[in-house]
Amino acid sequence: MASRKIQEINAGSMADIAFLLLIFFLVATTMNVDSGIQRVLPALQEEDVKPTDVKERNVLLVYVNKNSEILVGGKRTDISLLKDEVKNFVSNPANDPNMPEKEETEIELIGKFMVSKGVVSLQNDRATPYDMYIQVQNELTRAFHELRDDVSMMKFNKKFMDLDEDQRKAVQKAVPQSISEAEPRNTTGGK
């Protein structure tokens, strides 16, 4: 008996099909983008440097618990009110003796200016949802940006982002962004 020769499968177009499938999946697939906070971290300090003492009246404690509840100065507040509460605390417009002190400072391009010694101390629980933590960080940053815009408009008739570099530095000295982050609390039990 004569054996029949088995026909070969033409594999020439298999590479084309694989390439087209690869292109399809690359175009059709969406990638998750991580969200985060853009921050410039302070320079590393030497170990023998002791932290400066800050008077209690100059510190506003903002605490975010694991249930996404925000406490400002021990009182529960809503995220929508946080920015305005921080602005009011830092600026201390009525010179309230229970709120931050102000120090008259000579600032180039601005002149004498009452600079607040207010510090916002942010603390959260280890189980605080990351999304809520980001929202609180954004509100704190917005408060300082708006305070800087107010000074920029008052002294230079421009928004902070429209100022030149020297003017920006002057406004940053007038409104320092003083946000301190404390070690997260561990209220979920265990160590």
Side-chain angles (χ1 to χ4, degrees), residues 7 14 26 34 63 76 82 94 108 113 166-168 180:
Q7 287 187 341
M14 291 295 270
L26 285 174
D34 291 336
Y63 176 67
R76 188 173 290 160
L82 181 60
E108 191 175 336
F113 192 83
D166 292 333
Q167 292 170 331
R168 279 189 193 176
S180 166

Side-chain angles (χ1 to χ4, degrees), residues 131-147:
D131 181 55
M132 178 52 85
Y133 173 78
I134 296 292
Q135 287 180 50
V136 169
Q137 278 277 358
N138 286 340
E139 289 302 304
L140 297 179
T141 304
R142 270 183 59 207
F144 283 97
H145 282 287
E146 286 187 14
L147 287 169

Side-chain angles (χ1 to χ4, degrees), residues 18 27 40 47 50 52 55 116 121 127 130 146 154 183 188-189:
V27 171
V40 177
E47 291 181 26
K50 294 180 181 177
T52 57
K55 292 182 180 177
S116 174
S121 177
Y130 187 69
E146 286 187 14
M154 182 174 60
E183 186 71 24
T188 57

Side-chain angles (χ1 to χ4, degrees), residues 39 60 62 79-91 120 135-151 175-179:
R39 292 279 187 266
L60 178 65
V62 177
I79 187 82
S80 63
L81 303 173
L82 181 60
K83 174 188 56 94
D84 292 330
E85 288 184 35
V86 169
K87 281 177 63 176
N88 187 55
F89 175 81
V90 172
S91 65
V120 178
Q135 287 180 50
V136 169
Q137 278 277 358
N138 286 340
E139 289 302 304
L140 297 179
T141 304
R142 270 183 59 207
F144 283 97
H145 282 287
E146 286 187 14
L147 287 169
R148 287 178 176 172
D149 274 344
D150 293 345
V151 172
V175 184
Q177 185 168 324
S178 302
I179 301 174

